[in-house]
Amino acid sequence: MELLEILVLVVSFVVLLILGVPIAFSIGIAALLTMLVSIAPEPAFTTLAQRMATGLDSFALLAIPFFILAGQLMNRGGIATRLIDLAKSLVGTLPGGLAYVNIVACMLFGAISGSAVAAASAIGGIMNPRMVKEGYSRPFSAAVNITSATTGMIIPPSNILIVYSLASGGVSIAALFVAGYIPGFLLGFVLMLVAGVISYKKKYPVGDRTSLREVLRKFLDALPSLLLLLVVIGGIIAGVFTATEASAVAVLYTVILSMLVYRQVKVSDLPDILIHTAITTAIVMLLIGTSMGMSWVMSYANIPQAFSDALLSVSDNKIIILIIINLILLFVGIFMDMTPAVLIFTPIFLPVVRELGVDPVHFGIMMVMNLCIGLCTPPVGSVLFVGCGVAEISISKVIKPLIPLFLAMVVALLLVTYIPALSLWLPRVFGL
């Protein structure tokens, strides 16, 4: 029966994806069909509905709509322009300076907004025309924007780390947030390294030298935006408020910043911002609900235990197991969005790595960094589609310049996987 349930789950899910059924509905339908193998229709429908509702009944998930709203306000509030100006004053004079500016600005904006798609859209919309005007190739500028936008999923605050905390059974959100800093900066650094080499070989232009006075002026202009990170993460670490309460503080801060300080958002803009926030939240919550339903179905069918036994029968070597898990997640990331992937595969892989002595915080950062690569790959890579749309270029033309940047992301992933201190040093310093 267990094998039959696995077959029904996998085959139905894959067929639905091939037919173009939206991912949330594919997950829910596949979970329901799997339940119908061993449960009568009426209790199957009732149980799945209950599990979906129960999965959403979490105080920690309240942070997601608040962070989404904060990201929407930032996107409209003129923050992207100020972060780009700051990044240009810092790294614009280096060879291939605008590529560095793109990466640094995406890291800053992604960290503040917590959204890779928002970073690709906001920063890409400004940087791509600038880079093309300065002589950079359009495919290269799009590739840099697409890959660097994913750093915002690792550098806190990050919605996907909140989702991982839920899926893992309560790993500290504060510890996950703090753990994301060094891996996020590492990812940005390796992308800058590769972009710099490509820019040097292609002889892309170098920006004008910026005076110290100008750097200071740009920094002070962007400082109110950067302080959001200090307020949110500092408040969580200091124990002033929880991650959920921090998300509400982030909304209040961005409202004041975008409406009163920068004056880029008007009261008349708020209904549209709230509608976009509600739509995005609904999509994310539907994904979470159906994914939690599927996760329960897999537990009911004893699939995680069977998978764990099968994986540990291959090897009990931590290095080998982590390679296998990374390869599986890289494959999964190509076809599945991050949220359902984290919710479905965390209960499967976390018991395995725990048995091998891997810290859940370290594994969470590794998993999210791995799935970030999938955001940049077809056929479901949301950041890839947004980045190409903003750059007004086809996906086929971006693939070639993406490859070396992909390899840089894989190198960063391997470093984070096999050097746990990159993820765990900061949480230990702060006693999290």
Side-chain angles (χ1 to χ4, degrees), residues 276-318:
H276 277 85
T277 300
I279 292 170
T280 306
T281 301
I283 293 168
V284 172
M285 291 303 180
L286 180 60
L287 277 169
I288 291 174
T290 54
S291 299
M292 292 299 285
M294 178 178 274
S295 180
W296 182 86
V297 169
M298 290 194 300
S299 297
Y300 176 79
N302 207 31
I303 292 173
Q305 185 60 46
F307 199 93
S308 175
D309 293 342
L311 201 55
L312 290 173
S313 69
V314 173
S315 173
D316 58 359
N317 186 307
K318 183 163 69 173

Side-chain angles (χ1 to χ4, degrees), residues 167-423:
S168 63
V171 172
S172 168
I173 296 176
L176 288 167
F177 276 6
V178 174
Y181 276 113
I182 293 176
F185 291 142
L186 173 66
L187 178 57
F189 175 75
V190 296
L191 289 173
M192 289 176 72
L193 199 63
V194 172
V197 171
I198 295 172
S199 298
Y200 180 78
K201 287 185 176 180
K202 300 271 187 181
K203 292 183 169 53
Y204 287 138
V206 178
D208 298 328
R209 186 171 294 277
T210 307
S211 67
L212 185 60
R213 181 187 293 272
E214 184 68 10
V215 173
L216 184 60
R217 190 177 72 81
K218 298 294 185 186
F219 173 74
L220 291 174
D221 195 28
L223 184 60
S225 305
L226 298 173
L227 281 176
L228 175 64
L229 293 174
L230 182 62
V231 171
V232 171
I233 305 303
I236 294 172
I237 293 172
V240 177
F241 37 67
T242 65
T244 304
E245 292 162 347
S247 65
V249 172
V251 171
L252 179 62
Y253 188 94
T254 49
V255 166
I256 294 171
L257 189 64
S258 57
M259 297 185 72
L260 301 180
V261 179
Y262 293 153
R263 299 189 177 184
Q264 297 285 318
V265 175
K266 301 174 184 177
V267 175
S268 59
D269 297 326
L270 291 179
D272 188 51
I273 290 172
L274 291 171
I275 288 170
H276 277 85
T277 300
I279 292 170
T280 306
T281 301
I283 293 168
V284 172
M285 291 303 180
L286 180 60
L287 277 169
I288 291 174
T290 54
S291 299
M292 292 299 285
M294 178 178 274
S295 180
W296 182 86
V297 169
M298 290 194 300
S299 297
Y300 176 79
N302 207 31
I303 292 173
Q305 185 60 46
F307 199 93
S308 175
D309 293 342
L311 201 55
L312 290 173
S313 69
V314 173
S315 173
D316 58 359
N317 186 307
K318 183 163 69 173
I319 295 173
I320 301 298
I321 294 297
L322 288 175
I323 286 175
I324 294 171
I325 290 174
N326 270 316
L327 288 173
I328 293 171
L329 289 175
L330 284 170
F331 179 75
V332 166
I334 294 173
F335 301 102
M336 190 179 288
D337 190 67
M338 283 185 82
T339 301
V342 167
L343 287 167
I344 292 169
F345 288 94
T346 297
I348 293 176
F349 291 135
L350 189 56
V352 178
V353 297
R354 265 184 165 151
E355 194 167 325
L356 297 172
V358 176
D359 191 284
V361 172
H362 171 216
F363 179 71
I365 299 298
M366 182 199 90
M367 186 179 203
V368 169
M369 181 176 275
N370 185 306
L371 293 171
C372 279
I373 299 174
L375 294 176
C376 310
T377 58
V380 295
S382 54
V383 178
L384 174 66
F385 291 116
V386 170
C388 289
V390 168
E392 299 177 350
I393 190 172
S394 66
I395 292 173
S396 59
K397 292 181 180 177
V398 177
I399 296 301
K400 186 177 179 181
L402 269 178
I403 291 173
L405 296 166
F406 275 148
L407 294 176
M409 294 178 80
V410 172
V411 169
L413 171 63
L414 291 173
L415 289 173
V416 169
T417 300
Y418 293 113
I419 307 177
L422 291 174
S423 303

